[in-house]
Amino acid sequence: QVQLVESGGGLVQAGGSLRISCAASGLINYVVGWFRQAPGKEREFVVDINQYGFSTKEADSVKGRFTISRDNAKNTVFLEMNSLKAEDTAVYFCAARRSWETQYDLWGQGTQVTVSS
């Protein structure tokens, strides 16, 4: 079983930026998605990226502010978050699936991102 590990979360002021990472052995073979869950709310999809670096979906709430990328040589997917807002505060989860036709079946433990205002 592949273990996904998120890192890079922390406290940042509104308007600031933060980059979080998702790493796992063999991640080059997976479609990877970022999800987030705020306190008292359901988990929501943020953005995804395929094995070749192309994204097909992103949440309207983060469009123009968040950028997903990957470094396959490092088996790592990044989420660059800019112009952060208080409502971006959440636990961010990395998930992986073998193709666009399968379910996300691999999940990381999550990394906390807190945006102060």
Side-chain angles (χ1 to χ4, degrees):
Q1 187 81 356
V2 176
Q3 190 79 19
L4 303 183
V5 180
E6 301 98 333
S7 62
L11 177 65
V12 62
Q13 292 186 336
S17 299
L18 195 66
R19 188 176 78 163
I20 56 176
S21 303
C22 172
S25 177
L27 201 61
I28 188 173
N29 299 308
Y30 293 86
V31 174
V32 177
W34 283 101
F35 297 78
R36 67 185 183 184
Q37 185 170 23
K41 299 180 66 177
E42 295 184 351
R43 184 178 63 199
E44 66 173 339
F45 171 82
V46 178
V47 66
D48 61 14
I49 190 168
N50 71 3
Q51 297 94 325
Y52 311 104
F54 294 98
S55 177
T56 61
K57 299 178 182 179
E58 65 179 342
D60 289 338
S61 60
V62 306
K63 186 174 293 184
R65 300 189 299 118
F66 290 12
T67 301
I68 190 170
S69 63
R70 68 190 303 158
D71 185 342
N72 285 335
K74 295 183 177 180
N75 285 310
T76 303
V77 171
F78 304 97
L79 182 64
E80 180 72 36
M81 301 177 287
N82 301 306
S83 301
L84 283 162
K85 307 173 181 178
E87 51 262 44
D88 293 319
T89 295
V91 176
Y92 283 72
F93 297 91
C94 177
R97 56 182 175 177
R98 279 286 187 177
S99 77
W100 298 108
E101 300 175 350
T102 60
Q103 299 292 109
Y104 285 106
D105 56 359
L106 300 174
W107 293 82
Q109 82 289 346
T111 185
Q112 177 70 48
V113 174
T114 302
V115 183
S116 63
S117 59

